[in-house]
Amino acid sequence: MNPLLQLDNISMHFPNKDKEAKNTTIKALSNIDLTVYPGEVIAVVGESGCGKTTLGKVISGLHQPTGGNYYYKGKDVNQLNKKRMRQFRTNIQLVQQDSYAALNPAKTIQQSLAAPIMRHKKAKGKKAIRLKIIELLETVGLKPAEQFLAKFPHQLSGGQRQRVLMARAISLDPEIIVADEPVSMVDVSLRLSILNLMSTLNKKLNIAFVYITHDLATARFIAQNGRLAAMYLGRIVELSSVGDIMSNPQHPYLQALLSAVPIPDPNVAKAKRELPLKSLEVPNLVYPPSGCAFHPRCPYATNSCSEECPTLRKVSHGLVACHHAERIPKWHLTASSN
Ligand SMILES: Nc1ncnc2c1ncn2[C@@H]1O[C@H](COP(=O)(O)OP(=O)(O)OP(=O)(O)O)[C@@H](O)[C@H]1O
Ligand SMILES: [Mg+2]
């Protein structure tokens, strides 16, 4: 299958506005290689500040990367003609974390949804546009749809607003939705229903999802048949199928993350050991450590780790950026067997 998107050695370095660190940059993304295929689900996971939102914005075309090449259906995004650029912009939709900020508070749901439909000529005439909006609201589970048309964003719950954002995204028949922490501001009780909605949209409409989160549990749920990209300090450190990563993480950072996930079963929890890191401090993106950015915290680091930055390479079932991936002990994760 031909890829929809290809990020080839992408970097995004922002100028640093901190007066005490003049002429430095914030290396939000470095050397990112990532391919997205039609209809697949990729979860992008990492701690706060590791560059997930920046990656989502680069993918959606909102940030022009400072390095590397970005291809849409095999064509360099910088060289798309007007028509193709329009396709690129409609086919990749970004759903952001803060549903309140993403909707105009002065517009009704009907007005907010009508604007892109009219702009992109997805329906013509008042009646057809209204019908299209009703169909969209029903698709995202806001029923009866007529009750939501005249409402303003503040009259909806966080979960309902998030659904409206999904409706707005799918109104343009996208090939990919980049969902940046779409459930982190939604009540825990409603999270599952939003995740299920994304799964349904993926399966029924064959929309690919790039699901951005700091939460391994929701990543595992949404991308159960997909892939997971783990990020650390602006780089992808492991990329593999979710099943393989969860049962056999190969990068020490991911082993540490997974070994720290709490387990409800006390017997399993007792048998579980956390991978001891040398430091809990996360270095910053202005002065990332030399070589492998994880080396100051890694219990397996050797001299070469501080000297040479490992690239993503094939190791058994997936891609791992670690010099010692084949040699480090298998951190047996009882978590994977539950
Ligand atoms: N427009 C910008 N200008 C300057 N620095 C930026 C900009 N956008 C992001 N950054 C910096 O890039 C780094 C990565 O930020 P990003 O928002 O991508 O992280 P994140 O993984 O999404 O974090 P979180 O989980 O908290 O949402 C941070 O240090 C951030 O301050
Ligand atoms: Mg973010």
Side-chain angles (χ1 to χ4, degrees):
M1 210 189 312
N2 292 329
L4 276 176
L5 305 178
Q6 265 174 295
L7 281 76
D8 170 23
N9 205 20
I10 289 286
S11 297
M12 184 80 224
H13 295 179
F14 295 107
N16 192 359
K17 297 210 174 99
D18 184 350
K19 281 190 189 124
E20 280 168 25
K22 267 189 187 163
N23 300 327
T24 58
T25 54
I26 300 166
K27 295 159 191 70
L29 298 177
S30 296
N31 311 104
I32 299 282
D33 288 330
L34 185 68
T35 304
V36 183
Y37 291 94
E40 77 164 331
V41 180
I42 300 186
V44 175
V45 178
E47 288 166 301
S48 182
C50 73
K52 303 180 299 292
T53 294
T54 306
L55 178 61
K57 288 187 174 172
V58 166
I59 291 176
S60 326
L62 297 183
H63 278 325
Q64 165 85 11
T66 50
N69 295 305
Y70 183 18
Y71 302 96
Y72 170 63
K73 294 188 176 168
K75 298 235 158 43
D76 190 328
V77 169
N78 282 324
Q79 290 172 13
L80 296 178
N81 61 28
K82 249 188 172 175
K83 192 175 155 208
R84 279 270 178 167
M85 185 48 113
R86 213 178 143 91
Q87 274 179 7
F88 170 77
R89 294 223 176 268
T90 47
N91 282 339
I92 305 172
Q93 289 296 308
L94 176 66
V95 172
Q96 307 204 38
Q97 173 179 21
D98 186 350
S99 60
Y100 198 68
L103 289 165
N104 186 334
K107 282 193 174 164
T108 64
I109 301 310
Q110 178 164 4
Q111 288 167 333
S112 282
L113 290 177
I117 293 174
M118 289 182 336
R119 199 174 332 120
H120 294 277
K121 301 190 177 72
K122 292 288 174 184
K124 271 190 204 146
K126 257 189 177 171
K127 207 169 158 196
I129 292 170
R130 189 171 188 274
L131 280 178
K132 169 96 180 155
I133 293 172
I134 288 174
E135 184 194 311
L136 287 166
L137 290 174
E138 283 183 351
T139 306
V140 299
L142 292 173
K143 291 178 205 168
E146 285 83 355
Q147 282 189 6
F148 291 90
L149 294 176
K151 291 219 161 108
F152 289 91
H154 74 270
Q155 295 172 308
L156 303 184
S157 70
Q160 288 171 332
R161 279 198 298 270
Q162 206 51 259
R163 284 172 191 270
V164 171
L165 291 187
M166 286 289 166
R168 188 169 70 180
I170 62 170
S171 71
L172 301 180
D173 304 316
E175 293 167 316
I176 300 185
I177 293 180
V178 178
D180 186 2
E181 306 265 13
V183 296
S184 63
M185 287 170 80
V186 174
D187 280 352
V188 174
S189 56
L190 292 172
R191 283 186 190 168
L192 192 62
S193 69
I194 303 281
L195 294 171
N196 278 327
L197 168 64
M198 289 196 286
S199 279
T200 308
L201 297 177
N202 168 249
K203 287 185 192 122
K204 277 203 182 152
L205 306 178
N206 199 36
I207 299 172
F209 272 83
V210 176
Y211 173 69
I212 293 173
T213 183
H214 60 273
D215 174 23
L216 279 163
T218 58
R220 180 190 204 173
F221 179 84
I222 192 84
Q224 46 196 290
N225 299 315
R227 293 189 294 155
L228 189 145
M231 288 185 70
Y232 184 73
L233 278 187
R235 292 174 187 273
I236 294 178
V237 293
E238 186 158 349
L239 178 64
S240 188
S241 80
V242 169
D244 285 335
I245 283 198
M246 293 294 178
S247 59
N248 184 15
Q250 304 197 75
H251 195 284
Y253 170 62
L254 210 53
Q255 294 185 351
L257 270 190
L258 278 163
S259 69
V261 173
I263 305 264
D265 180 335
N267 292 326
V268 181
K270 234 187 269 170
K272 199 167 133 86
R273 289 177 305 141
E274 277 189 32
L275 180 68
L277 296 179
K278 285 205 287 198
S279 151
L280 293 179
E281 206 177 309
V282 182
N284 74 46
L285 287 162
V286 178
Y287 302 107
S290 61
C292 171
F294 190 58
H295 88 261
R297 303 174 69 191
C298 181
Y300 310 117
T302 60
N303 286 345
S304 63
C305 301
S306 60
E307 286 159 10
E308 202 184 324
C309 181
T311 51
L312 266 187
R313 64 196 173 88
K314 182 115 184 77
V315 181
S316 81
H317 53 72
L319 299 173
V320 189
C322 170
H323 293 309
H324 303 306
E326 292 87 348
R327 293 183 288 282
I328 60 178
K330 292 267 167 267
W331 198 258
H332 290 294
L333 290 160
T334 39
S336 61
S337 57
N338 68 350

